[in-house]
Amino acid sequence: DWSSDVCSSDLIKQEIWETVCKSKGGYVRPAWLYAVAVLWMLRACEATELQMGDLSIDCDAKTVALTVRKSKTDQAARGAKRTLSCCGRQTCTRECPFALAIRVLADRPNGREKDPLFATRGKPKRNRTHTARCWAKELNKDLTGHSARRSGAMFYTRQGMDIQDISFLGRWRSSAVFRYMEEAMQERPM
């Protein structure tokens, strides 16, 4: 459960989760894009730039790897690859990175490696502002371009993930992650 933050199951209802957006210029699957951004703690600009070839699945190991080709902390565009595993439940939840990756790739059966990972209706100018506006319009008016990063850090903190693992997964090189973790830690009984 992703409760108490903007990625909560209460805020992204099942009908929204399964909705195919019909708005011109909008992402076809805005909830899935947001969930991928949360699971890998992506900025809106990083989520916007994802390509089909950036996501790779290992069905035997039940893992999924995502390559972030360029980020705020990687201006030389050396790239960063992070791998997550299946949730391990008998029936995967929608928060399962492995199951979500399979759905995302299956939704674009004719996608080529350089195609955007998430399709849009029409050909809007893809940038972080566009992505953040789509999230706010289609999912929750309070979402911003940084919401997925914050929600991801809080989600993993609530799951009990260690600080160094959250920092590595989210590609933090500063103590900024502590702001998000502190908020989530206040809710956890010690």
Side-chain angles (χ1 to χ4, degrees):
D1 181 14
W2 297 7
S3 59
S4 302
D5 63 54
V6 292
C7 200
S8 168
S9 297
D10 295 337
L11 294 174
I12 300 179
K13 303 277 187 212
Q14 189 63 28
E15 57 271 10
I16 294 172
W17 181 255
E18 295 299 336
T19 295
V20 174
C21 179
K22 305 267 194 251
S23 301
K24 185 177 180 182
Y27 285 96
V28 175
R29 297 284 190 172
W32 295 6
L33 170 59
Y34 187 73
V36 165
V38 169
L39 290 170
W40 274 275
M41 294 180 276
L42 301 175
R43 298 168 181 91
C45 59
E46 296 163 344
T48 302
E49 297 298 320
L50 290 176
Q51 297 176 353
M52 298 286 292
D54 295 336
L55 195 62
S56 59
I57 297 173
D58 181 335
C59 290
D60 294 331
K62 292 189 99 171
T63 60
V64 58
L66 182 80
T67 301
V68 179
R69 287 174 281 108
K70 182 180 177 184
S71 69
K72 178 181 168 184
T73 57
D74 178 25
Q75 291 299 306
R78 289 185 297 274
K81 183 178 179 180
R82 300 296 186 262
T83 304
L84 295 171
S85 62
C86 178
C87 66
R89 297 189 174 104
Q90 187 164 352
T91 302
C92 291
T93 64
R94 66 187 199 187
E95 294 90 9
C96 175
F98 180 72
L100 179 58
I102 289 172
R103 290 192 79 182
V104 166
L105 292 176
D107 201 49
R108 308 274 321 271
N110 300 319
R112 295 179 306 272
E113 192 169 310
K114 296 284 186 188
D115 287 347
L117 183 60
F118 290 93
T120 56
R121 296 280 178 208
K123 297 203 181 251
K125 182 177 179 187
R126 287 175 176 258
N127 58 36
R128 65 183 178 200
T129 304
H130 172 257
T131 299
R133 284 183 183 152
C134 286
W135 287 343
K137 178 183 176 189
E138 302 296 333
L139 305 176
N140 183 300
K141 66 179 176 48
D142 296 325
L143 292 177
T144 69
H146 218 69
S147 293
R149 195 156 168 77
R150 173 187 170 274
S151 293
M154 293 176 71
F155 170 70
Y156 288 118
T157 298
R158 288 185 189 105
Q159 300 299 310
M161 185 183 277
D162 293 331
I163 177 70
Q164 65 269 22
D165 293 336
I166 294 172
S167 294
F168 177 75
L169 179 60
R171 301 158 334 278
W172 269 284
R173 293 190 179 155
S174 71
S175 60
V177 67
F178 288 114
R179 290 185 307 225
Y180 309 130
M181 293 182 68
E182 181 180 5
E183 190 176 336
M185 291 294 289
Q186 290 176 15
E187 301 164 8
R188 284 182 52 192
M190 301 301 226

